[in-house]
Amino acid sequence: MMDDPEDKKPADWVEEKRMVDTDAKKPDDWDDEEDGEWEAPTKDNPEYKGDWSVKRISNPGYKGFWEAKKIANPEYVDEEALYSYADFGFIGFDLWQVKGGSIFDNIIITDDKSEADVFAKKWKALSEVEAAKKKEEDEAKKAETPETKSEDKDEDADDEDGKPDSEEM
């Protein structure tokens, strides 16, 4: 769509939305010194038809949506192994966590299912050994905890000289 070049605003088109009320008169008790200069009130203009805008027509020169031409690149070579690397030196993760302290370990990047299965078996065996050791350590700490607490109470009550801590000062 485009503006019609042949469309012109009519000569009698009224631009003013409001006009001065010619019937209004200055009040008799109006004092220019106290009230300022009197201005006649305005009223709606009955000849006002709204804002004028040029008529819109279809563009005769429109050829459709523009798209860039696609031309062949003679220097382009399709790289089959663009993403394939012999070794990844490092890997990074950008994570948002609500709880801190998460640890990520044993990460594998592969496209070979058999290699991933072998890695999973090794990881499962290692994980079971680690879980068993953790359980042993937790049980040892649990067994040690009641004895330690009773020893601490005895030490707090008396020092080596047999007097409570508060008398030493």
Side-chain angles (χ1 to χ4, degrees):
M1 298 295 283
M2 64 178 269
D3 293 344
D4 185 358
E6 296 175 8
D7 193 22
K8 305 284 184 231
K9 182 165 68 171
D12 63 339
W13 194 270
V14 178
E15 293 277 335
E16 292 79 29
K17 191 174 191 176
R18 298 189 55 82
M19 59 185 268
V20 176
D21 186 2
T22 54
D23 296 336
K25 295 190 170 100
K26 183 176 179 180
D28 294 332
D29 60 343
W30 188 270
D31 184 8
D32 286 336
E33 289 181 17
E34 279 187 30
D35 301 325
E37 187 178 336
W38 183 80
E39 294 178 9
T42 58
K43 63 179 184 178
D44 289 336
N45 189 347
E47 296 175 8
Y48 179 71
K49 300 174 192 169
D51 292 332
W52 185 84
S53 59
V54 69
K55 188 169 83 174
R56 306 280 291 166
I57 61 170
S58 293
N59 185 352
Y62 182 70
K63 297 175 185 172
F65 182 76
W66 182 85
E67 290 182 356
K69 291 181 184 178
K70 295 181 180 178
I71 57 174
N73 182 354
E75 297 175 15
Y76 175 75
V77 178
D78 190 20
E79 182 85 34
E80 288 292 324
L82 180 66
Y83 57 87
S84 180
Y85 293 95
D87 183 27
F88 283 91
F90 55 89
I91 184 168
F93 292 98
D94 185 13
L95 300 172
W96 178 79
Q97 299 184 70
V98 175
K99 231 184 210 182
S102 297
I103 299 171
F104 297 90
D105 194 8
N106 299 324
I107 297 168
I108 182 172
I109 300 174
T110 184
D111 60 354
D112 186 5
K113 186 172 178 352
S114 61
E115 185 181 351
D117 290 340
V118 169
F119 181 82
K121 286 178 186 173
K122 277 197 231 176
W123 179 82
K124 188 174 183 182
L126 179 63
S127 177
E128 289 171 354
V129 170
E130 287 177 350
K133 290 214 181 227
K134 171 101 168 95
K135 187 175 181 181
E136 287 175 15
E137 287 178 13
D138 289 345
E139 288 173 358
K141 282 184 182 178
K142 207 180 236 185
E144 187 180 294
T145 305
E147 295 170 7
T148 308
K149 285 185 179 178
S150 63
E151 291 174 7
D152 289 343
K153 287 181 182 178
D154 292 340
E155 288 177 10
D156 288 342
D158 295 324
D159 276 346
E160 295 170 4
D161 58 358
K163 296 179 183 176
D165 290 338
S166 60
E167 293 180 14
E168 290 179 3
M169 293 185 173

